[in-house]
Each structure stands twice: as C-alpha cells, then as structure tokens.
Amino acid sequence: MSDLEQTLSIIKPDAVERNLENEIKTIFQKNGFKIKNEKKLKLEKSEAEQFYKVHETKPFYSDLCEYLSSGPVIVMILEKENAVKSNRDLMGATDPSKAEEGTLRKLFGKSIDKNSVHGSDSLENAQKEIDFFFKN
Ligand code: CDP
Ligand code: MG
C-alpha cells in the first residue's frame, strides 16, 4: 500500500548555474514524478535562513544560507506515490562522494554543500516547505 504524496524539491544554485535544470527535471519525470508546480526565483539570505531554520545551530548554517541565496533556484512540487522517500532515494546521500551511483547528487553534486538538489525529509516538512514557497 502506498499513498500519492507531494514533496518539495529545489534545484540549487550550483545546478541552475550549470544549466542542469532540464536534465534534472527529465530524471524526475522518468522516475515517475509529476511536476505539479514550479518556479524560478532568487532567495534573499533572510528567506534562506527561514527555510533552513532547523539547521540554525549547525556550524554550516550561515554558509548554507549564503549559498542558497547566491543565485537562482528552481522550486518544484513533485507528486508520486511515496514521493518524500522516493525523492530522497533518487537524490542520494547529502555528501555526493558518498551517494550511490545513479543518484542526482552522485551525478551532479560538486561537494557536501554544493550538492545540486534539496528534498523534503518528511511528509510534515514537505507540506511546510510547499507552503513556504507556494502559499500565495
Ligand atoms: O539536504 P539533506 O537533507 O540531505 O541534508 P541536511 O543535513 O538537511 O543539510 C542541509 C544542507 O546543508 C545540505 O543539503 C548541504 O547543502 C548543507 N550541508 C553542509 O553544507 N555541510 C554539512 N556538513 C551538512 C550539510
Ligand atoms: Mg535536510
């Protein structure tokens, strides 16, 4: 048994900058995800800080927010059965050097910080993150 879910995906600045948007979207679609909504935007650092608030005590927080707001990103609502876990599996480990073959981060990630994609880590956070970007 599995349920149709929605999750939030971000194509991060390092990937947008390398024009990987279409290649990454094609991989999502080939893996059964429907892109239900999407937009390209550039975050203010304060918005990145809000988005990544769960990490505010981490040593990498400031650099992470600086980076996420350093250039345009593509934010997408992805829909599929078990979308949250399925997207996490497709993304691979946070550190691209530890990610499995064929995962997005293995294919495209440059480093643990510039790892090309974000994906929600739970259904609850997926809804919060979707609302963050798409609620009015
Ligand atoms: O993105 P994911 O959920 O896999 O990892 P996270 O632990 O929630 O961390 C969020 C983001 O912070 C990562 O995707 C990296 O871009 C960044 N990060 C970092 O720069 N250095 C670390 N040691 C860990 C994470
Ligand atoms: Mg995370």
Side-chain angles (χ1 to χ4, degrees):
M1 281 278 291
S2 46
D3 294 316
L4 202 57
E5 291 179 356
Q6 292 189 340
T7 190
L8 185 93
S9 171
I10 305 178
I11 304 178
K12 293 184 176 184
D14 69 273
V16 175
E17 170 184 285
R18 286 176 285 153
N19 293 311
L20 293 169
E21 174 181 349
N22 288 337
E23 202 172 339
I24 291 174
K25 283 182 183 168
T26 300
I27 294 175
F28 281 128
Q29 287 161 335
K30 280 188 179 153
N31 280 273
F33 290 93
K34 285 201 175 116
I35 300 170
K36 301 295 284 186
N37 206 340
E38 62 177 291
K39 56 188 173 189
K40 186 172 189 175
L41 54 96
K42 188 174 174 302
L43 292 169
E44 297 296 330
K45 190 176 183 196
S46 59
E47 295 170 315
E49 285 168 350
Q50 224 184 314
F51 180 76
Y52 271 133
K53 198 159 178 48
V54 303
H55 291 308
E56 70 183 330
T57 61
K58 309 271 173 63
F60 57 81
Y61 180 64
S62 179
D63 287 347
L64 172 60
C65 297
E66 192 71 55
Y67 161 64
L68 194 71
S69 57
S70 67
V73 296
I74 317 290
V75 294
M76 296 173 288
I77 299 176
L78 299 182
E79 188 174 88
K80 188 187 170 179
E81 288 188 357
N82 293 318
V84 172
K85 180 174 189 304
S86 184
N87 181 39
R88 296 289 303 190
D89 290 346
L90 182 58
M91 284 163 53
T94 307
D95 181 348
S97 72
K98 295 183 180 144
E100 282 187 43
E101 289 300 327
T103 61
L104 293 170
R105 283 167 165 173
K106 181 73 174 187
L107 286 166
F108 304 118
K110 290 155 63 113
S111 56
I112 192 164
D113 49 334
K114 295 183 173 62
N115 58 8
S116 301
V117 282
H118 165 85
S120 312
D121 63 3
S122 68
L123 200 51
E124 190 189 348
N125 285 336
Q127 196 53 59
K128 284 187 194 161
E129 292 178 0
I130 287 169
D131 288 347
F132 182 88
F133 285 109
F134 292 97
K135 209 170 176 180
N136 302 311

PDB file of all heavy atoms in Angstrom, residues 12 52 54-55 58 60 63-64 67 88 91-95 105 111-115 117-121, ligand 1:
ATOM      1  N   LYS A  12      19.319  23.533  -6.754  1.00  0.00           N
ATOM      2  CA  LYS A  12      20.102  24.552  -6.054  1.00  0.00           C
ATOM      3  C   LYS A  12      20.969  25.367  -7.024  1.00  0.00           C
ATOM      4  O   LYS A  12      21.182  24.965  -8.177  1.00  0.00           O
ATOM      5  CB  LYS A  12      20.975  23.862  -4.997  1.00  0.00           C
ATOM      6  CG  LYS A  12      20.177  23.216  -3.840  1.00  0.00           C
ATOM      7  CD  LYS A  12      21.135  22.640  -2.796  1.00  0.00           C
ATOM      8  CE  LYS A  12      20.417  22.075  -1.593  1.00  0.00           C
ATOM      9  NZ  LYS A  12      21.373  21.600  -0.554  1.00  0.00           N
ATOM     10  N   TYR A  52      15.818  27.244   6.141  1.00  0.00           N
ATOM     11  CA  TYR A  52      16.715  26.261   6.765  1.00  0.00           C
ATOM     12  C   TYR A  52      16.795  26.430   8.282  1.00  0.00           C
ATOM     13  O   TYR A  52      17.778  26.011   8.890  1.00  0.00           O
ATOM     14  CB  TYR A  52      18.114  26.374   6.162  1.00  0.00           C
ATOM     15  CG  TYR A  52      18.344  25.511   4.922  1.00  0.00           C
ATOM     16  CD1 TYR A  52      18.935  26.037   3.778  1.00  0.00           C
ATOM     17  CD2 TYR A  52      18.019  24.148   4.917  1.00  0.00           C
ATOM     18  CE1 TYR A  52      19.179  25.241   2.652  1.00  0.00           C
ATOM     19  CE2 TYR A  52      18.252  23.354   3.799  1.00  0.00           C
ATOM     20  CZ  TYR A  52      18.836  23.898   2.680  1.00  0.00           C
ATOM     21  OH  TYR A  52      19.077  23.106   1.583  1.00  0.00           O
ATOM     22  N   VAL A  54      15.717  24.909  10.769  1.00  0.00           N
ATOM     23  CA  VAL A  54      16.037  23.718  11.592  1.00  0.00           C
ATOM     24  C   VAL A  54      17.546  23.551  11.773  1.00  0.00           C
ATOM     25  O   VAL A  54      17.978  22.886  12.704  1.00  0.00           O
ATOM     26  CB  VAL A  54      15.483  22.393  11.012  1.00  0.00           C
ATOM     27  CG1 VAL A  54      13.986  22.463  10.838  1.00  0.00           C
ATOM     28  CG2 VAL A  54      16.146  21.999   9.725  1.00  0.00           C
ATOM     29  N   HIS A  55      18.315  24.151  10.890  1.00  0.00           N
ATOM     30  CA  HIS A  55      19.777  23.996  10.957  1.00  0.00           C
ATOM     31  C   HIS A  55      20.472  25.187  11.620  1.00  0.00           C
ATOM     32  O   HIS A  55      21.689  25.312  11.537  1.00  0.00           O
ATOM     33  CB  HIS A  55      20.352  23.809   9.549  1.00  0.00           C
ATOM     34  CG  HIS A  55      19.973  22.502   8.916  1.00  0.00           C
ATOM     35  ND1 HIS A  55      20.155  21.295   9.535  1.00  0.00           N
ATOM     36  CD2 HIS A  55      19.409  22.221   7.713  1.00  0.00           C
ATOM     37  CE1 HIS A  55      19.729  20.318   8.733  1.00  0.00           C
ATOM     38  NE2 HIS A  55      19.260  20.854   7.638  1.00  0.00           N
ATOM     39  N   LYS A  58      23.670  24.740  13.543  1.00  0.00           N
ATOM     40  CA  LYS A  58      24.772  23.989  12.917  1.00  0.00           C
ATOM     41  C   LYS A  58      25.892  24.931  12.479  1.00  0.00           C
ATOM     42  O   LYS A  58      25.635  26.069  12.091  1.00  0.00           O
ATOM     43  CB  LYS A  58      24.267  23.215  11.686  1.00  0.00           C
ATOM     44  CG  LYS A  58      23.044  22.348  11.916  1.00  0.00           C
ATOM     45  CD  LYS A  58      23.424  20.952  12.374  1.00  0.00           C
ATOM     46  CE  LYS A  58      22.186  20.140  12.764  1.00  0.00           C
ATOM     47  NZ  LYS A  58      21.269  19.920  11.637  1.00  0.00           N
ATOM     48  N   PHE A  60      27.480  24.973   9.799  1.00  0.00           N
ATOM     49  CA  PHE A  60      27.427  25.314   8.374  1.00  0.00           C
ATOM     50  C   PHE A  60      26.248  26.218   7.996  1.00  0.00           C
ATOM     51  O   PHE A  60      26.057  26.559   6.839  1.00  0.00           O
ATOM     52  CB  PHE A  60      27.401  24.035   7.516  1.00  0.00           C
ATOM     53  CG  PHE A  60      26.264  23.074   7.826  1.00  0.00           C
ATOM     54  CD1 PHE A  60      24.990  23.288   7.307  1.00  0.00           C
ATOM     55  CD2 PHE A  60      26.484  21.956   8.622  1.00  0.00           C
ATOM     56  CE1 PHE A  60      23.941  22.404   7.576  1.00  0.00           C
ATOM     57  CE2 PHE A  60      25.436  21.064   8.896  1.00  0.00           C
ATOM     58  CZ  PHE A  60      24.167  21.293   8.379  1.00  0.00           C
ATOM     59  N   ASP A  63      26.932  29.719   6.048  1.00  0.00           N
ATOM     60  CA  ASP A  63      27.419  29.453   4.684  1.00  0.00           C
ATOM     61  C   ASP A  63      26.317  28.850   3.816  1.00  0.00           C
ATOM     62  O   ASP A  63      26.188  29.176   2.633  1.00  0.00           O
ATOM     63  CB  ASP A  63      28.608  28.471   4.707  1.00  0.00           C
ATOM     64  CG  ASP A  63      29.881  29.131   5.222  1.00  0.00           C
ATOM     65  OD1 ASP A  63      29.905  30.382   5.318  1.00  0.00           O
ATOM     66  OD2 ASP A  63      30.843  28.400   5.527  1.00  0.00           O
ATOM     67  N   LEU A  64      25.541  27.951   4.415  1.00  0.00           N
ATOM     68  CA  LEU A  64      24.458  27.288   3.684  1.00  0.00           C
ATOM     69  C   LEU A  64      23.435  28.314   3.190  1.00  0.00           C
ATOM     70  O   LEU A  64      23.017  28.276   2.020  1.00  0.00           O
ATOM     71  CB  LEU A  64      23.782  26.270   4.621  1.00  0.00           C
ATOM     72  CG  LEU A  64      22.500  25.605   4.129  1.00  0.00           C
ATOM     73  CD1 LEU A  64      22.744  24.824   2.855  1.00  0.00           C
ATOM     74  CD2 LEU A  64      21.931  24.687   5.220  1.00  0.00           C
ATOM     75  N   TYR A  67      24.876  30.496   0.494  1.00  0.00           N
ATOM     76  CA  TYR A  67      24.925  29.732  -0.768  1.00  0.00           C
ATOM     77  C   TYR A  67      23.551  29.605  -1.431  1.00  0.00           C
ATOM     78  O   TYR A  67      23.398  29.861  -2.629  1.00  0.00           O
ATOM     79  CB  TYR A  67      25.532  28.345  -0.511  1.00  0.00           C
ATOM     80  CG  TYR A  67      25.209  27.373  -1.602  1.00  0.00           C
ATOM     81  CD1 TYR A  67      25.681  27.586  -2.894  1.00  0.00           C
ATOM     82  CD2 TYR A  67      24.374  26.288  -1.364  1.00  0.00           C
ATOM     83  CE1 TYR A  67      25.336  26.731  -3.916  1.00  0.00           C
ATOM     84  CE2 TYR A  67      24.030  25.436  -2.377  1.00  0.00           C
ATOM     85  CZ  TYR A  67      24.505  25.661  -3.653  1.00  0.00           C
ATOM     86  OH  TYR A  67      24.142  24.826  -4.659  1.00  0.00           O
ATOM     87  N   ARG A  88      14.037  11.290  -1.819  1.00  0.00           N
ATOM     88  CA  ARG A  88      15.276  11.180  -1.032  1.00  0.00           C
ATOM     89  C   ARG A  88      16.168  10.088  -1.619  1.00  0.00           C
ATOM     90  O   ARG A  88      17.399  10.240  -1.693  1.00  0.00           O
ATOM     91  CB  ARG A  88      14.974  10.880   0.442  1.00  0.00           C
ATOM     92  CG  ARG A  88      14.209  11.973   1.189  1.00  0.00           C
ATOM     93  CD  ARG A  88      14.988  13.224   1.466  1.00  0.00           C
ATOM     94  NE  ARG A  88      16.207  13.003   2.206  1.00  0.00           N
ATOM     95  CZ  ARG A  88      16.961  13.972   2.732  1.00  0.00           C
ATOM     96  NH1 ARG A  88      16.601  15.263   2.606  1.00  0.00           N
ATOM     97  NH2 ARG A  88      18.064  13.708   3.363  1.00  0.00           N
ATOM     98  N   MET A  91      17.727  11.344  -4.813  1.00  0.00           N
ATOM     99  CA  MET A  91      18.755  12.369  -4.565  1.00  0.00           C
ATOM    100  C   MET A  91      20.080  11.754  -4.131  1.00  0.00           C
ATOM    101  O   MET A  91      21.141  12.236  -4.492  1.00  0.00           O
ATOM    102  CB  MET A  91      18.293  13.314  -3.448  1.00  0.00           C
ATOM    103  CG  MET A  91      17.246  14.313  -3.870  1.00  0.00           C
ATOM    104  SD  MET A  91      16.422  15.036  -2.440  1.00  0.00           S
ATOM    105  CE  MET A  91      17.787  15.615  -1.478  1.00  0.00           C
ATOM    106  N   GLY A  92      20.017  10.751  -3.271  1.00  0.00           N
ATOM    107  CA  GLY A  92      21.240  10.167  -2.712  1.00  0.00           C
ATOM    108  C   GLY A  92      21.722  10.912  -1.484  1.00  0.00           C
ATOM    109  O   GLY A  92      21.113  11.888  -1.041  1.00  0.00           O
ATOM    110  N   ALA A  93      22.835  10.446  -0.946  1.00  0.00           N
ATOM    111  CA  ALA A  93      23.364  10.990   0.310  1.00  0.00           C
ATOM    112  C   ALA A  93      23.718  12.476   0.177  1.00  0.00           C
ATOM    113  O   ALA A  93      24.057  12.951  -0.911  1.00  0.00           O
ATOM    114  CB  ALA A  93      24.601  10.199   0.732  1.00  0.00           C
ATOM    115  N   THR A  94      23.657  13.171   1.317  1.00  0.00           N
ATOM    116  CA  THR A  94      23.968  14.605   1.355  1.00  0.00           C
ATOM    117  C   THR A  94      25.341  14.898   0.746  1.00  0.00           C
ATOM    118  O   THR A  94      25.510  15.877   0.016  1.00  0.00           O
ATOM    119  CB  THR A  94      23.932  15.097   2.823  1.00  0.00           C
ATOM    120  OG1 THR A  94      22.677  14.723   3.403  1.00  0.00           O
ATOM    121  CG2 THR A  94      24.112  16.596   2.905  1.00  0.00           C
ATOM    122  N   ASP A  95      26.315  14.047   1.066  1.00  0.00           N
ATOM    123  CA  ASP A  95      27.671  14.209   0.533  1.00  0.00           C
ATOM    124  C   ASP A  95      27.774  13.433  -0.786  1.00  0.00           C
ATOM    125  O   ASP A  95      27.736  12.197  -0.789  1.00  0.00           O
ATOM    126  CB  ASP A  95      28.665  13.652   1.555  1.00  0.00           C
ATOM    127  CG  ASP A  95      30.109  13.806   1.091  1.00  0.00           C
ATOM    128  OD1 ASP A  95      30.347  14.124  -0.092  1.00  0.00           O
ATOM    129  OD2 ASP A  95      31.006  13.595   1.931  1.00  0.00           O
ATOM    130  N   ARG A 105      22.675  13.399  -6.702  1.00  0.00           N
ATOM    131  CA  ARG A 105      23.850  14.033  -6.094  1.00  0.00           C
ATOM    132  C   ARG A 105      25.141  13.395  -6.572  1.00  0.00           C
ATOM    133  O   ARG A 105      26.166  14.073  -6.706  1.00  0.00           O
ATOM    134  CB  ARG A 105      23.718  14.009  -4.571  1.00  0.00           C
ATOM    135  CG  ARG A 105      22.729  15.094  -4.095  1.00  0.00           C
ATOM    136  CD  ARG A 105      22.329  14.925  -2.675  1.00  0.00           C
ATOM    137  NE  ARG A 105      21.679  16.129  -2.138  1.00  0.00           N
ATOM    138  CZ  ARG A 105      21.113  16.183  -0.950  1.00  0.00           C
ATOM    139  NH1 ARG A 105      21.106  15.121  -0.170  1.00  0.00           N
ATOM    140  NH2 ARG A 105      20.549  17.306  -0.534  1.00  0.00           N
ATOM    141  N   SER A 111      30.017  18.954  -4.098  1.00  0.00           N
ATOM    142  CA  SER A 111      30.576  18.863  -2.737  1.00  0.00           C
ATOM    143  C   SER A 111      29.415  18.756  -1.757  1.00  0.00           C
ATOM    144  O   SER A 111      28.251  18.894  -2.157  1.00  0.00           O
ATOM    145  CB  SER A 111      31.387  20.124  -2.433  1.00  0.00           C
ATOM    146  OG  SER A 111      30.569  21.262  -2.624  1.00  0.00           O
ATOM    147  N   ILE A 112      29.730  18.555  -0.482  1.00  0.00           N
ATOM    148  CA  ILE A 112      28.651  18.382   0.504  1.00  0.00           C
ATOM    149  C   ILE A 112      27.758  19.626   0.591  1.00  0.00           C
ATOM    150  O   ILE A 112      26.568  19.508   0.861  1.00  0.00           O
ATOM    151  CB  ILE A 112      29.198  17.984   1.903  1.00  0.00           C
ATOM    152  CG1 ILE A 112      28.050  17.534   2.817  1.00  0.00           C
ATOM    153  CG2 ILE A 112      30.027  19.090   2.510  1.00  0.00           C
ATOM    154  CD1 ILE A 112      28.476  16.788   4.047  1.00  0.00           C
ATOM    155  N   ASP A 113      28.312  20.774   0.340  1.00  0.00           N
ATOM    156  CA  ASP A 113      27.459  21.972   0.392  1.00  0.00           C
ATOM    157  C   ASP A 113      26.808  22.252  -0.970  1.00  0.00           C
ATOM    158  O   ASP A 113      25.623  22.542  -1.044  1.00  0.00           O
ATOM    159  CB  ASP A 113      28.225  23.188   0.916  1.00  0.00           C
ATOM    160  CG  ASP A 113      29.555  23.396   0.225  1.00  0.00           C
ATOM    161  OD1 ASP A 113      30.132  22.416  -0.284  1.00  0.00           O
ATOM    162  OD2 ASP A 113      30.025  24.545   0.190  1.00  0.00           O
ATOM    163  N   LYS A 114      27.569  22.115  -2.030  1.00  0.00           N
ATOM    164  CA  LYS A 114      27.002  22.362  -3.370  1.00  0.00           C
ATOM    165  C   LYS A 114      26.546  21.025  -3.960  1.00  0.00           C
ATOM    166  O   LYS A 114      27.168  20.470  -4.871  1.00  0.00           O
ATOM    167  CB  LYS A 114      28.041  23.045  -4.258  1.00  0.00           C
ATOM    168  CG  LYS A 114      28.386  24.435  -3.746  1.00  0.00           C
ATOM    169  CD  LYS A 114      29.349  25.148  -4.659  1.00  0.00           C
ATOM    170  CE  LYS A 114      29.556  26.601  -4.251  1.00  0.00           C
ATOM    171  NZ  LYS A 114      30.126  26.793  -2.922  1.00  0.00           N
ATOM    172  N   ASN A 115      25.452  20.522  -3.390  1.00  0.00           N
ATOM    173  CA  ASN A 115      25.014  19.164  -3.743  1.00  0.00           C
ATOM    174  C   ASN A 115      23.778  19.138  -4.639  1.00  0.00           C
ATOM    175  O   ASN A 115      23.050  18.157  -4.694  1.00  0.00           O
ATOM    176  CB  ASN A 115      24.843  18.318  -2.486  1.00  0.00           C
ATOM    177  CG  ASN A 115      23.854  18.925  -1.513  1.00  0.00           C
ATOM    178  OD1 ASN A 115      23.177  19.908  -1.828  1.00  0.00           O
ATOM    179  ND2 ASN A 115      23.745  18.339  -0.337  1.00  0.00           N
ATOM    180  N   VAL A 117      20.704  19.486  -5.256  1.00  0.00           N
ATOM    181  CA  VAL A 117      19.257  19.375  -5.025  1.00  0.00           C
ATOM    182  C   VAL A 117      18.915  19.335  -3.538  1.00  0.00           C
ATOM    183  O   VAL A 117      19.698  18.844  -2.723  1.00  0.00           O
ATOM    184  CB  VAL A 117      18.648  18.109  -5.693  1.00  0.00           C
ATOM    185  CG1 VAL A 117      18.463  18.299  -7.185  1.00  0.00           C
ATOM    186  CG2 VAL A 117      19.472  16.854  -5.404  1.00  0.00           C
ATOM    187  N   HIS A 118      17.734  19.847  -3.240  1.00  0.00           N
ATOM    188  CA  HIS A 118      17.128  19.707  -1.909  1.00  0.00           C
ATOM    189  C   HIS A 118      15.873  18.861  -2.050  1.00  0.00           C
ATOM    190  O   HIS A 118      15.166  18.962  -3.059  1.00  0.00           O
ATOM    191  CB  HIS A 118      16.725  21.078  -1.340  1.00  0.00           C
ATOM    192  CG  HIS A 118      15.783  20.967  -0.168  1.00  0.00           C
ATOM    193  ND1 HIS A 118      16.239  20.774   1.118  1.00  0.00           N
ATOM    194  CD2 HIS A 118      14.425  20.960  -0.098  1.00  0.00           C
ATOM    195  CE1 HIS A 118      15.194  20.672   1.929  1.00  0.00           C
ATOM    196  NE2 HIS A 118      14.082  20.782   1.218  1.00  0.00           N
ATOM    197  N   GLY A 119      15.563  18.066  -1.043  1.00  0.00           N
ATOM    198  CA  GLY A 119      14.284  17.358  -0.992  1.00  0.00           C
ATOM    199  C   GLY A 119      13.795  17.277   0.435  1.00  0.00           C
ATOM    200  O   GLY A 119      14.582  17.026   1.357  1.00  0.00           O
ATOM    201  N   SER A 120      12.498  17.471   0.628  1.00  0.00           N
ATOM    202  CA  SER A 120      11.905  17.392   1.975  1.00  0.00           C
ATOM    203  C   SER A 120      12.229  16.049   2.605  1.00  0.00           C
ATOM    204  O   SER A 120      12.281  15.026   1.921  1.00  0.00           O
ATOM    205  CB  SER A 120      10.386  17.535   1.901  1.00  0.00           C
ATOM    206  OG  SER A 120      10.026  18.631   1.101  1.00  0.00           O
ATOM    207  N   ASP A 121      12.395  16.054   3.944  1.00  0.00           N
ATOM    208  CA  ASP A 121      12.791  14.812   4.626  1.00  0.00           C
ATOM    209  C   ASP A 121      11.636  14.100   5.338  1.00  0.00           C
ATOM    210  O   ASP A 121      11.844  13.037   5.926  1.00  0.00           O
ATOM    211  CB  ASP A 121      13.946  15.075   5.589  1.00  0.00           C
ATOM    212  CG  ASP A 121      13.574  16.026   6.708  1.00  0.00           C
ATOM    213  OD1 ASP A 121      12.397  16.451   6.780  1.00  0.00           O
ATOM    214  OD2 ASP A 121      14.458  16.352   7.520  1.00  0.00           O
TER     215      ASP A 121
HETATM  216  O1  CDP B   1      19.940  18.130   2.224  1.00  0.00           O
HETATM  217  P1  CDP B   1      19.935  16.996   3.215  1.00  0.00           P
HETATM  218  O2  CDP B   1      18.600  16.820   3.880  1.00  0.00           O
HETATM  219  O3  CDP B   1      20.488  15.729   2.633  1.00  0.00           O
HETATM  220  O4  CDP B   1      20.999  17.379   4.343  1.00  0.00           O
HETATM  221  P2  CDP B   1      20.829  18.244   5.697  1.00  0.00           P
HETATM  222  O5  CDP B   1      21.582  17.553   6.762  1.00  0.00           O
HETATM  223  O6  CDP B   1      19.395  18.560   5.956  1.00  0.00           O
HETATM  224  O7  CDP B   1      21.606  19.573   5.363  1.00  0.00           O
HETATM  225  C1  CDP B   1      21.010  20.593   4.569  1.00  0.00           C
HETATM  226  C2  CDP B   1      22.041  21.096   3.591  1.00  0.00           C
HETATM  227  O8  CDP B   1      23.106  21.709   4.317  1.00  0.00           O
HETATM  228  C3  CDP B   1      22.742  20.038   2.760  1.00  0.00           C
HETATM  229  O9  CDP B   1      21.998  19.628   1.619  1.00  0.00           O
HETATM  230  C4  CDP B   1      24.011  20.748   2.367  1.00  0.00           C
HETATM  231  O10 CDP B   1      23.774  21.640   1.286  1.00  0.00           O
HETATM  232  C5  CDP B   1      24.324  21.561   3.607  1.00  0.00           C
HETATM  233  N1  CDP B   1      25.324  20.912   4.486  1.00  0.00           N
HETATM  234  C6  CDP B   1      26.606  21.414   4.516  1.00  0.00           C
HETATM  235  O11 CDP B   1      26.923  22.380   3.829  1.00  0.00           O
HETATM  236  N2  CDP B   1      27.562  20.815   5.331  1.00  0.00           N
HETATM  237  C7  CDP B   1      27.245  19.753   6.092  1.00  0.00           C
HETATM  238  N3  CDP B   1      28.171  19.207   6.863  1.00  0.00           N
HETATM  239  C8  CDP B   1      25.946  19.237   6.070  1.00  0.00           C
HETATM  240  C9  CDP B   1      25.000  19.836   5.249  1.00  0.00           C
END
